[in-house]
Amino acid sequence: MWVSWRWLSQWVDTQGVDPQAFAQRFTCTVAEIDSVVRWGFGLDAVVVADVIAVQPHPNADKLRLATVDLGDRQLTVVCGAPDLRVGMRVPFVPVGITLPSGIVVKDGHVRGVPSPGMLASEADLGLSDHHDGLLSLDGVTAAAGTSLPQAFELQDVLYEVDNKSITHRPDLWGQYGMAREVAAMLGVPLRPLDTEVVLGHGAPLQVQVQAPAACFRYVCARISEIAVAPSPVALRLRLRRLGVRPINNVVDATNLVMLETGNPLHAFDARHLDGRLIAVRYAQAGETMVTLDGQARTLTPDDVVITDGHQPVALAGIMGGQNSEIAADTRELVLEAAAFDAATIRKTAMRLGMRSESSARFEKALDPHLPTTAARRFVQVLQAVCPTAVVTSDLTSTGPHCVDPPAGHTLATTTGYLRTRLGLTPAEMSDSWMVQCLRRLAFAVECSADGALTVGVPTFRATKDVRIAEDIVEELGRHYGYGRIASAAPLIASRPPFTSPSRLAERVVRQALVLQEGLTEDVLYAFDHEGQRTRLGLHEHGAPRLGVRNEISTEHCRLRRNLAPNLVATAEQNLQHGDGKEAPREGFAVQIFELGQVVVPAPSRAAASANELAHLDPGVPPLALDPQRQLERDGWFALMDADMVAAVQATVVADRPLPWQPLRLGVVCAERLGGGAEGSKRVVPDRSVSQRVFAQAVSALNSAVRALGKAALHIVPADDPSSKGGQPQEAGLVQTSSWTPDWHTSWRHPRRSARLVAADGATVGVVSLVHPDVRNRLQVAAELAIAELDLQAIMALPDRPLVGLAPAKLAANALDVTGQLRPGVRQDQALNAVRVAVQAANLPVETVDYLYEAALPGDKVVPPGNQTGLPAAATRAVTFRLLCRAGDRSLIAADLAKIQQVAFEALAPFGPPPAAPAGPA
Amino acid sequence: MNLAPWQVELDAARDLWADRVALCSNLAELRSVQVDALGKNGAVTALVRRIGEVANADKRAYGQASAALKLVCETAIADKQTALELAEVAAELADDTFDVTLPPAAVLAQKPRAPGQSGGQSGGQSGGQSGGQQLGHLHPLCRVQTDVEAVFTSMGFAVLDYPEVESEFNNFESLNIPGWHPARDMQDTFWLDNGLLLRTHTSSGQVRAMHTFAPPFRAIFAGKVFRYEATDASHEHTFHQLEGLLIDRVVSVGHLLDSMRTLLSAILRRDVQVRLRPGYFPFVEPGFELDLQCQLCAGAGCSACKQSGWLELLPCGLVHPQVLRAGGLDPAQWQGWAFGLGLSRLAMMRYGIGDVRHLLSGDARFLAQF
């Protein structure tokens, strides 16, 4: 929305105000000014010229020679404008001038003909971007040779107000409303809008408002003796610089009044109105009309149309119909000035995709008093640009508020309250200042000696803007100047602040993973990336994800249910591009994690009734208010308060269940592999690499759990016979875990997977190597371990008990025992057997730990004929360390020998079967 | 009928290569067979090329037969490759040498290559960290968020956390934004299949907080927010915000100004000057845009602040009575202020990040700087 300084100055004395400083002050008091444009300056040397002769150019078809009278001399210049004609008045730019548009006028030849100057278009003069033809000065009365700024209205400062900052202010969508604010801001009087006109006494127009909920007031008048012609240059340029295209004097007058008052107007050609009745009604379903822009529009019963009793002639509040457009030969018109319902106009405009200057204003809920004012101003403006025009009917006013629109409501408050909310004292803001400020803003104010204040809200502020005392706080605060308010510390009791456990957990985990484990933190989208999921074959089998109805791209159309897919894709990208240091090669590791919410659509969601969903359709307001009934009961301004009612009533749906959104830690540890044969990406990783990335992922999860102060989790293999297949209903999986529904994911290697299980048996995390099918789809040869931890579940676990026992007096003896484990045996099985055995024998062993295994690193024993890259199904030699200590005595060799023997016996069943020959078959 | 010698030769070649393909037991062998047969110097390739030496009368037949041989070889190799790949994956899935229960510390303590065991691989091993020799990287957004939360915690603010998938009520209605309100135009929303939405601002937590805590209280809540908007260097459909809310008996514009100045000075680690100007947000009344005095020109006006001396930083205001009501608080008893801080924008300001898209890119080259 543009504001014209010159226009404002018609009603407000702006003498001595600097237009630039004004912009800053206006921004802090009223609304944000995005830009300030000086318009029509630098044209003092340009003069009015009369075209007295036009001749063809000897050397060019499209150019002509114009002889112009400049008052004191005549010159012939070359001109390319198609509308050049004898008798025209045009701007003449003499040689040596640089125009605001950047054009430099030189004394030169154009196609061999001298041209000492030029005739200018609006664009040439920097007045607009309109360059089809010369700026016509017809009608300008100044003598030829008069400087342009002296001949008509030029030189203005234009302010571009951010539209978003005035969406709640219907009164600021006209220059006069802006002037009111400016007058209050500068503390000067506001001149009234001149609306004195002579109306006719002919038969009034018959108007029926059949949609009173959508049309509060319909004002119209018949005006005859119209002579349609171009508007004078000053009016045309006023429209142009506020962004409206001039058409003819009638249409220009409607637009000028719209810009001035903020109330859109429409003029119908009276010839084309069939019958004497104008009706405002809802459209019929499927009814069509052709609007002024030539588009055929199909309407619905939610749209409101103006009809001439037979057919639609305008789409109410948005655009006129082509069938009643003002034409060059229009002699008689019907003027419409109306107040339409904001929501109705907005819905229709949005549905049809036709946001016009008119609909933009009606959407703001305009003052129902305004149509009469606007209609009267129209008559004045029209008679100025078309002196023959006479009003041949009285103003007809129809609708629920046709005669006596309701006065604005009254607010009762106290000056003390208003000051308190601003943080001001009576010495800083006196009662009398408050009264004066509000009166300048056209509020009707009564203030008693004890500070009781009644504020009558003017109708142009009452439709939706000013409703409660807090709104008055804003009026006073902004005009007083927020910058003058001293800051004050709030008087709130000091208590240790609560911090969300999940936020604390995030911080602790983040520190542990970054500083101890060396991982890099990622923050990724809450959406899955469908293209990458498909390419890499990442799926949660049978576990639904929540979809987006209006996705921004087909890639981002579902909410992630697991962190893994985005992390895998990110790891792949990092493995390819590296970390910006050197080109990644074999052994390059990527270790990343993310802390974030995932969305598990709870099973109960499916049960949500269709009724409930329909009720919550975004297109449907949450509360179906019957506007008509409301209108009858409370009057119009109560209807404007409907949103308050709606907000309270909408609490009915406040308890709709949200889907499960657990906070997860996702980890991916990956390492680049050497290329396969001929650079193939398909490489089976060496076992040591697989164990390493897996260990990194487990280590990260352990660090997180430990940092959170919880006891270490148990690693339960996915293929453990006690929980075969990891079926949720089977042992070890507790239903409260967010893993339960989606253990079966395509990216999990079925055998190289484990669950992290808490002491109570709940699965709180999963860790696995990537499935070979997914790994083989990566664009880089790499091994990946993927892990996720449910942080909320971890936090719910009891803290690891910390007990300070006295240090043992005697040193422990470490006893290393090595046993052979045949293929398929896990170290923990052997370890547990040792533990149980020494315990059963009541031996002084404190702990049993895995130490190392001999053939672990690079144990790529490849038998001939097997080049899959897999190690042979070899027997491993695993060493365990037993810490032995008796509380009261030193252990002797015999003790250790006994322990060793028991341990060996415990390990024996895990070794290779005695009969089987060693080595490959 | 006797076959021509070349025909015998082609038949023999077909049998030979079919056998050799069939005998392949792994992909590497198959690849070498492929090179031997169909490579530039492969045996089958050579047979195909020998058409020049064939008598003119036989050229046509030889051409057809040699092409058929080539096709047979290609098909056999492709089939075999598929079979071997399947077998490879099946073998991998069946392999039981992997031990998920190995203690990570023990695995990571092992140097990747034991001495004396070459293992046929080359190159150093850079990534296998163990025991924290190498530090990781904190995400810039989380760095900023942690800092800001620390400042607020030190000033007695509760730190809360709310869901990203929200109800229409919490995101709109409770904030005095009913369905037909034009303010919803400003908030282009992602709607979900189940009628819920992705929160468009962290303000969706305001009423949640009011229902959770007994007044007076003060709280912040940060997180991802979502707008249906095309992505470019300064716009993302997903970005991070931090909401601040204070509820007390008497809350004035003066209190808001004081809190904002103090908090922003602590967050930006310098003494800041702020100004309020009118701004329209349905959930605050009065509502403000808070501007920060431009640091570069100290308010004199420069290109960074478009000559105004001020930078628009955050929207704020006094909590609208309607929002208090929705939160179960009596506006006659309780008042409040609220603000919304763009964490993504703060991170970009603090670290000189020129393109918002870097933040969620997951690009290690970007993140390794932090």
Side-chain angles (χ1 to χ4, degrees):
Chain A
M1 163 98 179
W2 288 91
V3 177
S4 154
W5 180 255
R6 213 176 240 281
W7 212 336
L8 293 183
S9 304
Q10 275 178 235
W11 305 298
V12 181
D13 184 4
T14 54
Q15 283 292 314
V17 181
D18 170 41
Q20 195 67 41
F22 170 85
Q24 282 276 333
R25 193 164 165 197
F26 191 89
T27 290
C28 284
T29 310
V30 185
E32 184 171 5
I33 287 178
D34 279 342
S35 60
V36 182
V37 174
R38 282 165 57 85
W39 177 90
F41 286 86
L43 300 174
D44 301 272
V46 183
V47 298
V48 176
D50 287 311
V51 180
I52 52 176
V54 176
Q55 285 144 349
H57 190 291
N59 304 327
D61 289 344
K62 295 204 170 155
L63 297 176
R64 285 182 290 174
L65 305 182
T67 305
V68 290
D69 181 1
L70 301 175
D72 56 349
R73 65 206 153 112
Q74 293 183 355
L75 285 174
T76 298
V77 295
V78 177
C79 176
D83 57 344
L84 179 70
R85 59 182 161 72
V86 175
M88 195 179 189
R89 306 203 89 188
V90 291
F92 173 80
V93 190
V95 168
I97 301 298
T98 302
L99 291 171
S101 61
I103 293 173
V104 182
V105 181
K106 289 186 203 142
D107 191 5
H109 288 65
V110 181
R111 289 280 184 101
V113 176
S115 185
M118 73 176 270
L119 309 185
S121 71
E122 286 177 29
D124 295 335
L125 299 176
L127 299 177
S128 75
D129 51 10
H130 182 70
H131 52 75
D132 295 338
L134 299 168
L135 170 60
S136 165
L137 302 182
D138 293 355
V140 170
T141 51
T146 309
S147 162
L148 241 50
Q150 278 148 29
F152 60 93
E153 179 185 293
L154 270 180
Q155 299 184 345
D156 198 353
V157 182
L158 304 174
Y159 302 95
E160 187 182 13
V161 177
D162 180 8
N163 283 348
K164 272 199 303 235
S165 69
I166 53 171
T167 51
H168 61 308
R169 291 288 303 266
D171 61 315
L172 295 188
W173 288 78
Q175 303 288 316
Y176 189 73
M178 289 288 185
R180 190 185 293 118
E181 281 286 346
V182 171
M185 186 176 98
L186 300 177
V188 298
L190 174 73
R191 291 181 202 111
L193 198 59
D194 184 7
T195 55
E196 278 305 309
V197 287
V198 179
L199 297 175
H201 301 288
L205 292 149
Q206 295 295 310
V207 180
Q208 272 187 10
V209 175
Q210 296 162 2
C215 176
F216 306 122
R217 195 164 198 208
Y218 196 89
V219 174
C220 59
R222 180 183 298 274
I223 303 173
S224 309
E225 305 297 325
I226 303 292
V228 175
S231 300
V233 65
L235 195 159
R236 277 186 279 132
L237 289 176
R238 216 175 239 219
L239 293 176
R240 275 254 193 255
R241 65 185 188 258
L242 274 90
V244 175
R245 187 166 57 98
I247 311 278
N248 57 46
N249 52 2
V250 173
V251 177
D252 292 352
T254 61
N255 284 331
L256 191 85
V257 174
M258 173 183 74
L259 293 175
E260 185 177 82
T261 64
N263 201 130
L265 301 176
H266 186 66
F268 300 100
D269 188 331
R271 290 180 282 187
H272 302 303
L273 296 189
D274 184 14
R276 314 290 300 174
L277 177 77
I278 291 173
V280 183
R281 64 162 168 82
Y282 289 107
Q284 289 140 19
E287 190 169 6
T288 58
M289 71 171 293
V290 179
T291 43
L292 275 176
D293 55 4
Q295 303 283 312
R297 310 283 180 176
T298 305
L299 307 178
T300 73
D302 289 334
D303 306 326
V304 175
V305 290
I306 316 301
T307 73
D308 61 355
H310 298 282
Q311 55 168 343
V313 291
L315 192 51
I318 299 173
M319 199 177 276
Q322 205 176 41
N323 52 11
S324 53
E325 185 178 5
I326 300 292
D329 58 348
T330 299
R331 314 298 317 167
E332 190 177 46
L333 64 83
V334 170
L335 173 77
E336 165 197 297
F340 295 113
D341 169 56
T344 307
I345 301 301
R346 177 161 166 267
K347 266 205 239 165
T348 299
M350 287 193 35
R351 187 178 57 77
L352 295 174
M354 39 194 315
R355 305 291 286 273
S356 59
E357 289 271 348
S358 168
S359 73
R361 286 177 169 78
F362 280 120
E363 282 175 12
K364 309 297 183 292
L366 297 178
D367 177 11
H369 274 110
L370 204 50
T372 314
T373 309
R376 287 174 167 270
R377 273 298 289 160
F378 173 79
V379 173
Q380 274 198 337
V381 172
L382 182 69
Q383 286 175 338
V385 296
C386 175
T388 54
V390 286
V391 184
T392 47
S393 75
D394 198 354
L395 278 187
T396 305
S397 182
T398 319
H401 303 308
C402 58
V403 186
D404 188 16
H409 47 262
T410 300
L411 301 172
T413 181
T414 65
T415 53
Y417 175 76
L418 300 174
R419 267 193 298 263
T420 308
R421 295 313 305 273
L422 288 166
L424 292 171
T425 63
E428 288 168 313
M429 183 189 270
S430 67
D431 288 8
S432 61
W433 185 91
M434 294 163 87
V435 169
Q436 201 185 4
C437 170
L438 291 173
R439 285 193 178 139
R440 275 205 206 100
L441 290 166
F443 290 89
V445 188
E446 299 289 338
C447 183
S448 71
D450 63 353
L453 199 66
T454 53
V455 182
V457 182
T459 52
F460 54 80
R461 299 297 302 277
T463 53
K464 64 191 287 198
D465 174 16
V466 177
R467 248 197 303 249
I468 53 176
E470 281 75 4
D471 294 312
I472 304 298
V473 174
E474 171 159 40
E475 296 302 301
L476 293 170
R478 65 192 178 88
H479 278 285
Y480 178 80
Y482 292 125
R484 293 166 62 199
I485 298 177
S487 46
L491 303 167
I492 194 165
S494 288
R495 293 192 193 87
F498 169 86
T499 298
S500 147
S502 55
R503 294 236 70 103
L504 284 175
E506 281 184 24
R507 283 184 215 160
V508 167
V509 169
R510 193 174 281 141
Q511 295 290 325
L513 295 192
V514 171
L515 300 180
Q516 289 170 28
E517 298 289 317
L519 269 62
T520 293
E521 181 178 25
D522 271 309
V523 177
L524 303 170
Y525 290 104
F527 305 97
D528 273 326
H529 190 285
E530 300 304 317
Q532 280 167 352
R533 281 173 66 98
T534 308
R535 177 173 61 78
L536 294 170
L538 305 169
H539 309 289
E540 291 100 349
H541 298 302
R545 290 174 294 146
L546 192 51
V548 181
R549 264 192 217 169
N550 54 334
E551 70 269 12
I552 201 136
S553 77
T554 50
E555 301 295 8
H556 286 167
C557 66
R558 289 190 177 277
L559 298 182
R560 60 183 179 180
R561 189 191 168 105
N562 284 291
L563 297 176
N566 281 341
L567 280 171
V568 169
T570 301
E572 180 195 36
Q573 172 201 328
N574 291 343
L575 286 164
Q576 285 178 283
H577 297 149
D579 56 8
K581 296 191 180 85
E582 53 185 311
R585 53 197 175 113
E586 181 184 352
F588 177 77
V590 167
Q591 292 160 34
I592 55 176
F593 73 98
E594 182 180 13
L595 289 157
Q597 292 177 12
V598 298
V599 182
V600 181
S604 63
R605 295 295 326 144
S609 70
N611 193 19
E612 186 191 17
L613 290 177
H615 182 57
L616 284 153
D617 186 277
V620 182
L623 182 67
L625 261 169
D626 178 357
Q628 184 59 45
R629 208 187 59 224
Q630 191 79 21
L631 194 69
E632 287 162 7
R633 202 185 65 204
D634 297 320
W636 190 54
F637 287 100
L639 173 65
M640 287 302 127
D641 273 354
D643 57 342
M644 292 199 173
V645 182
V648 175
Q649 301 244 343
T651 50
V652 176
V653 295
D655 293 328
R656 297 182 71 248
L658 296 182
W660 198 356
Q661 298 173 68
L663 175 64
R664 292 241 183 111
L665 163 66
V667 172
V668 167
C669 293
E671 186 174 322
R672 252 181 102 124
L673 304 172
E678 294 168 17
S680 164
K681 307 271 183 281
R682 195 186 171 94
V683 179
V684 177
D686 191 271
R687 182 181 161 226
S688 62
V689 176
S690 298
Q691 292 278 192
R692 184 158 58 235
V693 294
F694 191 87
Q696 283 161 355
V698 175
S699 176
L701 297 193
N702 283 347
S703 270
V705 171
R706 191 183 157 82
L708 289 170
K710 308 299 179 187
L713 301 171
H714 301 292
I715 291 217
V716 178
D719 55 357
D720 188 294
S722 67
S723 59
K724 189 78 186 162
Q727 289 298 330
Q729 57 272 34
E730 285 179 22
L733 280 165
V734 171
Q735 292 294 326
T736 51
S737 159
S738 62
W739 308 109
T740 317
D742 49 340
W743 167 249
H744 296 284
T745 55
S746 69
W747 58 83
R748 212 159 278 155
H749 190 302
R751 302 190 76 171
R752 300 175 179 187
S753 293
R755 295 196 312 272
L756 293 155
V757 177
D760 64 354
T763 295
V764 291
V766 291
V767 56
S768 67
L769 285 178
V770 70
H771 194 289
D773 281 339
V774 173
R775 192 192 64 222
N776 286 331
R777 287 167 180 245
L778 293 172
Q779 287 173 349
V780 55
E783 175 70 310
L784 268 74
I786 306 163
E788 283 195 53
L789 203 62
D790 186 331
L791 279 190
Q792 268 138 356
I794 301 281
M795 284 181 293
L797 298 175
D799 283 348
R800 175 165 53 102
L802 299 175
V803 181
L805 297 176
K809 291 204 176 76
L810 299 170
N813 296 72
L815 181 67
D816 292 354
V817 177
T818 302
Q820 291 203 337
L821 305 190
R822 65 173 180 276
V825 174
R826 297 189 317 266
Q827 64 85 17
D828 68 324
Q829 296 167 308
L831 184 140
N832 278 331
V834 173
R835 226 177 239 164
V836 168
V838 294
Q839 214 164 18
N842 204 16
L843 292 169
V845 174
E846 288 187 351
T847 57
V848 184
D849 288 309
Y850 169 94
L851 200 58
Y852 59 85
E853 65 189 64
L856 176 62
D859 57 345
K860 202 166 178 179
V861 184
V862 182
N866 174 6
Q867 289 181 10
T868 60
L870 283 177
T875 296
R876 303 184 282 160
V878 177
T879 303
F880 299 99
R881 170 160 294 178
L882 288 69
L883 274 190
C884 312
R885 175 155 52 196
D888 49 355
R889 64 185 176 87
S890 298
L891 297 178
I892 54 169
D895 295 321
L896 298 176
K898 171 74 177 158
I899 294 168
Q900 193 170 32
Q901 188 201 340
V902 170
F904 279 143
E905 282 167 10
L907 287 172
F910 300 101
Chain B
M1 186 177 172
N2 278 336
L3 292 173
W6 56 261
Q7 229 160 353
V8 176
E9 196 177 356
L10 288 185
D11 285 349
R14 190 175 60 198
D15 293 344
L16 169 74
W17 290 108
D19 285 350
R20 286 203 48 188
V21 167
L23 282 172
C24 287
S25 62
N26 62 50
L27 287 166
E29 280 176 22
L30 183 67
R31 256 172 240 124
S32 86
V33 169
Q34 185 176 21
V35 171
D36 291 350
L38 299 169
K40 211 158 67 177
N41 301 316
V44 174
T45 310
L47 285 173
V48 171
R49 286 203 188 120
R50 252 173 48 192
I51 191 160
E53 305 162 18
V54 176
N56 278 346
D58 290 348
K59 265 200 166 50
R60 183 185 168 87
Y62 185 87
Q64 283 172 348
S66 63
L69 168 67
K70 191 179 170 202
L71 186 68
V72 164
C73 287
E74 284 169 350
T75 311
I77 287 170
D79 290 350
K80 185 70 181 179
Q81 177 162 350
T82 308
L84 284 175
E85 282 177 358
L86 286 173
E88 186 183 83
V89 169
E92 224 185 309
L93 292 179
D95 174 71
D96 57 4
T97 57
F98 191 82
D99 190 343
V100 297
T101 66
L102 288 187
V107 176
L108 297 176
Q110 301 261 351
K111 288 297 151 204
R113 219 70 63 206
Q117 241 181 329
S118 73
Q121 291 185 353
S122 62
Q125 192 276 340
S126 60
Q129 58 82 40
S130 54
Q133 292 161 351
Q134 208 178 334
L135 292 182
H137 307 282
L138 280 171
H139 196 280
L141 278 170
C142 299
R143 282 179 178 271
V144 169
Q145 186 178 339
T146 307
D147 285 2
V148 174
E149 286 180 352
V151 169
F152 278 96
T153 303
S154 73
M155 292 181 63
F157 280 75
V159 179
L160 311 177
D161 198 23
Y162 287 125
E164 290 160 9
V165 173
E166 257 296 5
S167 69
E168 208 175 347
F169 176 80
N170 282 332
N171 197 71
F172 288 129
E173 270 83 2
S174 70
L175 295 168
N176 198 28
I177 315 174
W180 48 266
H181 202 290
R184 286 204 187 178
D185 286 358
M186 298 182 219
Q187 315 247 341
D188 289 341
T189 309
F190 283 110
W191 294 95
L192 303 177
D193 284 344
N194 58 5
L196 296 168
L197 49 81
L198 288 172
R199 64 180 172 194
T200 61
H201 43 201
T202 41
S203 310
S204 60
Q206 284 196 13
V207 166
R208 284 181 176 276
M210 290 181 207
H211 279 296
T212 315
F213 292 92
F217 70 88
R218 43 197 160 169
I220 55 165
F221 23 105
K224 278 184 183 140
V225 299
F226 307 85
R227 302 274 169 92
Y228 185 85
E229 128 175 311
T231 296
D232 63 30
S234 50
H235 296 88
E236 249 284 17
H237 59 62
T238 303
F239 54 99
H240 285 67
Q241 259 186 2
L242 183 136
E243 190 84 0
L245 177 68
L246 178 145
I247 302 290
D248 201 353
R249 292 285 180 191
V250 176
V251 178
S252 74
V253 176
H255 295 138
L256 174 66
L257 265 171
D258 179 73
S259 303
M260 288 297 113
R261 257 199 63 184
T262 314
L263 293 167
L264 290 171
S265 295
I267 292 165
L268 300 174
R269 299 164 183 162
R270 63 186 165 94
D271 195 22
V272 298
Q273 295 302 315
V274 299
R275 75 171 185 189
L276 300 178
R277 57 187 170 79
Y280 172 58
F281 308 96
F283 39 101
V284 283
E285 189 61 56
F288 309 104
E289 291 284 3
L290 182 138
D291 294 342
L292 192 66
Q293 193 172 62
C294 180
Q295 189 186 5
L296 294 176
C297 62
C302 66
S303 61
C305 57
K306 291 193 255 171
Q307 307 305 327
S308 72
W310 297 91
L311 290 168
E312 186 173 317
L313 186 67
L314 58 82
C316 57
L318 302 186
V319 179
H320 196 287
Q322 202 57 26
V323 180
L324 292 169
R325 259 176 227 128
L329 300 177
D330 177 0
Q333 299 290 316
W334 297 104
Q335 304 173 353
W337 62 239
F339 71 86
L341 174 67
L343 280 182
S344 302
R345 189 143 163 263
L346 190 62
M348 291 172 76
M349 278 168 62
R350 177 172 287 184
Y351 302 117
I353 299 168
D355 190 328
V356 66
R357 288 170 294 192
H358 292 317
L359 290 175
L360 302 186
S361 67
D363 192 331
R365 293 168 296 184
F366 173 74
L367 295 172
Q369 306 171 92
F370 294 93

